[in-house]
């Protein structure tokens, strides 16, 4: 059978194909049939300056990874990468003085943008093995946890974390600190994936002896004449954690009693008032230990610790004893006011760590409310029994310079014991506190000046001397500062405010509590300002670059 000439399409479609096409089916630029087709114009094959030139063998993109501007080049190696990325506008020359303390050098690094930070002067050789990144980051977080739990400011913790990473060759690190969370990110290069680790601070405790040991470890890691491997640092960190406190529990309880007695003498009490105030503080401390052993939060521990001194003061009033019950109650409050947490909170706020500062201030607020509730509960019951609680006797200042200076130094000494300071730093904090009280009394009592201004000036001297001594010893400034501000704490203003509220004088009570808050802020700001002045007196850590901070204009 012969196939039909019309083809498989059918007669109608074949006839349609043989018809001549109209002129609209052809373009004026289309060459006629039989003429060689010209090459495609250049516009039909766009190229990029990133395209591989002809004759150069480029990497074959895999099925999972297509070639792009963000793809790691085939000949790239992080071990042989350049030491730092140079932006288009250039990097200013920054050289850190080796004579400056490592804390100030790391603060300078933190306040510089990441692209402008200088790299280590001695890069790792090409053939040498790089650091164990996960192990170094874990060590950094563990040390940062001890510092943050011990009461260090957020900027100081970040500086310590950055110092550890740079000490082990991880120069492209970004630490982050909040109130309960620590994080560290390391990025080997701009094209490598970053490595991030974090750690949560579950428990806080006060042990300045442990804090000093951690700072000694940090100084050895950053010293050129010490070669502390990560394994050696882990071993020393484990020893620091296992070390026992320098003072047993009964010594801490006795120190709390002596602190309250010294504070009552500072406010005009005699020897009998000293022993009554000490007894109230000892009872309050034991009750707080009992609540802590039962797992109660710190809010309730502060609440029950404030009740025994208030109870003894109210009993003295009901017995019509010729003593100063206000001095007894106020002396018991000195051991409870959270001055350390307040100083750290204001320091974090002034250095730009607002989240951490807000959390610390909230913690201070809770403790302060617990103290007020504990004292107010006792005073309210005492008022119902017609207790004649009158603060006029305590409001009249009693000028006993020698006795008060000795009492202020005893208060600082016992405060340092409560903070678990080493015996080598206790006497320095004691002298610093004595000088602070002399300055305060000279302005507020002798010259009849403002108590807030006198508190700020005295706290500024405490922060100045503490920072200078800390830089000389290459350690933290907290052991030399926290105990020294003990005589300046607003115990009297707090008691007067609570008493006025108990007597239904709300306006006077809230005014007195506002004065207590102003005194507390004056202490914290003065301590921070003194520390900043101390750094100004030292050799500048950066040559060609200042230790810059954020600058704003009129709030914008």
């Amino acid at each position: 059978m012969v196939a039909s000439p019309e083809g498989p399409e059918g007669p109608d479609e074949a006839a349609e194909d043989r018809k001549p096409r109209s002129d609209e089916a052809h373009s004026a630029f289309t060459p006629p049939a039989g003429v060689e087709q010209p090459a495609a114009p250049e516009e039909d094959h766009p190229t990029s300056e990133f395209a591989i030139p002809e004759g150069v063998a480029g990497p074959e993109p895999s099925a999972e990874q297509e070639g792009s501007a963000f793809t790691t080049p085939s000949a790239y190696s992080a071990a042989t990468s350049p030491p730092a990325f140079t932006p288009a506008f250039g990097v200013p020359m920054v050289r850190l003085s080796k004579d400056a303390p490592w804390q100030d050098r790391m603060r300078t690094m933190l306040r510089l943008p990441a692209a402008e930070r200088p790299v280590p002067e001695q890069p790792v050789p090409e053939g040498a093995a790089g650091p164990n990144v996960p192990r170094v980051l874990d060590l950094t977080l563990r040390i940062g946890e001890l510092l943050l739990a011990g009461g260090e400011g957020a900027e100081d913790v970040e500086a310590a974390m950055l110092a550890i990473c740079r000490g082990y060759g991880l120069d492209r690190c970004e630490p982050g600190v909040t109130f309960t969370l620590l994080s560290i990110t390391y990025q080997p290069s701009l094209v490598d994936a970053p490595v991030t680790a974090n750690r949560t601070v579950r428990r806080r405790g006060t042990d300045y002896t442990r804090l000093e040991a951690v700072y000694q470890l940090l100084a050895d890691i950053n010293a050129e004449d010490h070669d502390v491997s990560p394994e050696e640092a882990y071993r020393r960190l484990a020893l620091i954690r296992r070390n026992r406190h320098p003072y047993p529990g009964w010594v801490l309880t006795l120190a709390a009693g002596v602190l309250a007695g010294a504070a009552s003498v500072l406010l005009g009490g005699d020897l009998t008032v000293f022993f009554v105030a000490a007894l109230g503080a000892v009872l309050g401390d034991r009750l707080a230990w009992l609540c802590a052993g039962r797992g109660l939060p710190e809010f309730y521990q502060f609440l029950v610790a404030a009740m025994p001194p208030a109870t003894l003061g109210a009993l003295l009033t009901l017995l019509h004893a010729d003593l100063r019950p206000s001095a007894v109650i106020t002396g018991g409050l000195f051991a409870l006011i959270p001055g350390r947490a307040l100083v750290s909170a204001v320091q974090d706020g002034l250095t730009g760590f607002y989240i951490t500062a807000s959390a610390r201030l909230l913690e201070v607020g809770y403790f302060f409310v617990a103290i007020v509730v504990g004292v107010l509960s006792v005073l309210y019951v005492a008022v119902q029994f017609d207790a004649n609680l009158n603060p006029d006797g305590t409001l009249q200042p009693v000028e006993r310079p020698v006795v008060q200076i000795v009492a202020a130094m005893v208060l600082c000494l016992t405060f340092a014991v409560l903070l678990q300071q080493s015996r080598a730093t206790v006497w320095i904090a004691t002298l610093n506190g004595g000088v602070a009280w002399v300055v305060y009394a000279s302005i507020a009592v002798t010259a009849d000046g403002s108590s807030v201004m006198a508190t700020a000036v005295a706290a500024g001297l405490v922060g100045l001397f503490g920072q200078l001594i800390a830089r000389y010893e290459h350690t933290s400034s907290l052991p030399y500062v926290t105990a020294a501000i003990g005589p300046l704490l607003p115990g009297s203003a707090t008691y007067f405010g609570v008493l006025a509220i108990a007597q239904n004088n709300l306006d006077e009570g809230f005014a007195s509590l506002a004065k207590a808050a102003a005194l507390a802020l004056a202490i914290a700001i003065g301590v921070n300002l003194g520390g900043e002045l101390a750094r100004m007196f030292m050799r500048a850590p950066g040559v060609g670059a200042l230790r810059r901070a954020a600058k704003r204009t009129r709030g914008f």
Side-chain angles (χ1 to χ4, degrees):
M1 182 175 179
V2 181
S4 175
E6 288 83 359
E9 294 86 357
D12 295 336
E13 295 182 5
E16 186 68 24
D17 291 339
R18 290 195 298 269
K19 291 181 180 180
R21 298 181 181 275
S22 64
D23 293 338
E24 295 178 358
H26 296 276
S27 172
F29 300 99
T30 303
V35 179
E36 182 180 359
Q37 299 290 331
E42 184 69 21
E43 288 78 8
D44 292 345
H45 299 281
T47 59
S48 170
E49 62 270 21
F50 298 104
I52 301 176
E54 296 182 1
V56 178
E60 293 283 342
S62 60
E64 297 82 3
Q65 181 182 12
E66 297 182 356
S68 68
F70 300 98
T71 304
T72 304
S74 60
Y76 178 83
S77 174
T80 59
S81 63
F85 168 70
T86 303
F89 53 83
V91 177
M93 179 63 68
V94 179
R95 295 178 180 176
L96 299 179
S97 174
K98 296 181 180 180
D99 297 332
W102 66 265
Q103 294 96 324
D104 289 337
R105 286 189 280 120
M106 292 303 109
R107 280 171 175 260
T108 303
M109 299 283 291
L110 287 175
R111 296 186 182 183
L112 287 174
E116 299 180 10
R117 293 176 185 174
V119 298
E121 298 181 0
Q122 297 179 355
V124 180
E126 296 184 5
N132 189 340
V133 175
R135 193 163 180 81
V136 173
L137 296 185
D138 179 73
L139 175 65
T140 302
L141 291 174
R142 291 178 182 273
I143 294 179
E145 178 189 9
L146 286 179
L147 295 178
L148 187 62
E152 278 287 1
E155 188 178 27
D156 294 329
V157 177
E158 282 197 358
M161 295 171 66
L162 185 61
I164 298 170
C165 291
R166 289 182 64 86
Y168 289 113
L170 306 183
D171 56 299
R172 298 182 184 91
C173 286
E174 282 292 342
V177 176
T178 58
F179 185 60
T180 58
L181 182 65
L182 299 169
S183 64
I184 186 74
T185 301
Y186 170 66
Q187 188 171 13
S189 65
L190 294 177
V191 295
D192 285 336
V195 181
T196 302
N198 55 62
R199 192 175 183 87
T200 303
V201 180
R202 302 288 183 184
R203 185 178 180 181
R204 300 176 183 274
T206 303
D207 189 344
Y208 284 178
T209 302
R210 178 180 297 175
L211 195 66
E212 294 173 28
V214 172
Y215 265 87
Q216 184 60 48
L217 174 60
L218 290 171
D220 293 342
I221 292 176
N222 289 272
E224 294 184 354
D225 54 347
H226 287 76
D227 186 12
V228 181
S229 63
E231 289 72 19
E232 175 67 16
Y234 266 107
R235 187 188 66 81
R236 291 178 58 177
L237 188 62
L239 291 177
I240 292 173
R241 286 181 174 274
R242 287 198 299 265
N243 281 346
R244 297 178 60 87
H245 297 304
Y247 308 104
W250 67 270
V251 173
L252 298 181
T253 300
L254 181 62
V258 176
L259 188 153
S264 64
V265 174
L266 198 64
L267 299 173
D270 54 12
L271 189 61
T272 305
V273 173
F274 175 91
F275 284 109
V276 175
L279 177 61
V282 168
L283 293 176
D285 183 76
R286 286 292 91 191
L287 285 176
W289 276 103
L290 181 62
C291 293
R294 296 298 184 270
L296 288 178
E298 287 183 303
F299 178 88
Y300 302 104
Q301 298 176 27
F302 275 79
L303 191 151
V304 300
M307 296 179 72
T311 302
L312 291 180
L315 288 177
L316 290 178
T317 304
L318 292 174
L319 295 176
H320 302 287
D322 189 14
L323 297 172
R324 287 176 175 256
S326 298
V328 174
I329 300 175
T330 305
L333 298 181
F334 269 80
L336 300 176
I337 296 177
R340 172 183 57 88
L342 179 66
V343 171
S344 299
V346 175
Q347 179 183 355
D348 290 341
L350 295 177
T351 52
F353 295 85
Y354 300 113
I355 297 178
T356 308
S358 302
R360 289 185 189 270
L361 284 176
L362 184 61
E363 181 187 40
V364 172
Y366 272 112
F367 293 160
F368 192 77
V369 169
I371 297 171
V372 169
V373 171
V375 177
L376 187 60
S377 301
V378 176
L379 294 183
Y380 181 77
V381 175
V383 169
Q384 302 307 313
F385 285 93
D386 297 329
N388 186 18
L389 294 169
N390 189 1
D392 292 340
T394 306
L395 284 173
Q396 299 175 358
V398 179
E399 293 192 18
R400 297 181 299 176
V402 177
V403 176
Q404 290 180 327
I405 291 175
V406 173
M409 296 180 67
V410 171
L411 191 153
C412 295
L413 188 147
T414 53
F415 203 168
V417 172
L418 288 176
L419 294 173
Q420 300 281 2
Q421 293 187 202
S422 63
R423 293 170 176 81
T425 61
V426 167
W427 67 273
I428 299 178
T430 302
L431 292 178
N432 200 7
V435 173
W437 175 256
V438 169
V439 173
Y440 170 81
S442 300
I443 299 176
V445 179
T446 304
D448 198 17
S450 171
S451 59
V452 176
M453 183 188 68
T455 301
V457 173
L461 289 177
V462 168
L464 175 63
F465 295 154
Q467 197 66 242
L468 290 175
I469 298 172
R471 289 301 181 263
Y472 178 78
E473 297 290 342
H474 297 283
T475 184
S476 172
S477 62
L478 290 180
Y480 307 104
V481 170
T482 306
I485 64 174
L488 306 177
L489 293 176
S492 299
T494 302
Y495 166 68
F496 296 151
V498 173
L499 177 60
I501 294 175
Q503 295 175 344
N504 205 21
N505 298 326
L506 299 182
D507 293 339
E508 182 181 351
F510 286 117
S512 184
L513 292 179
K515 180 182 178 181
L519 291 172
L521 290 177
I523 293 173
I525 295 175
V527 169
N528 181 266
L529 180 60
E532 294 296 332
L533 291 176
R535 298 187 186 98
M536 291 176 60
F537 295 155
M538 297 177 184
R539 183 177 300 181
V543 179
L546 297 176
R547 197 167 59 87
R548 297 177 294 180
K551 183 182 183 300
R552 299 181 184 179
T553 303
R554 298 181 181 179
F556 296 103

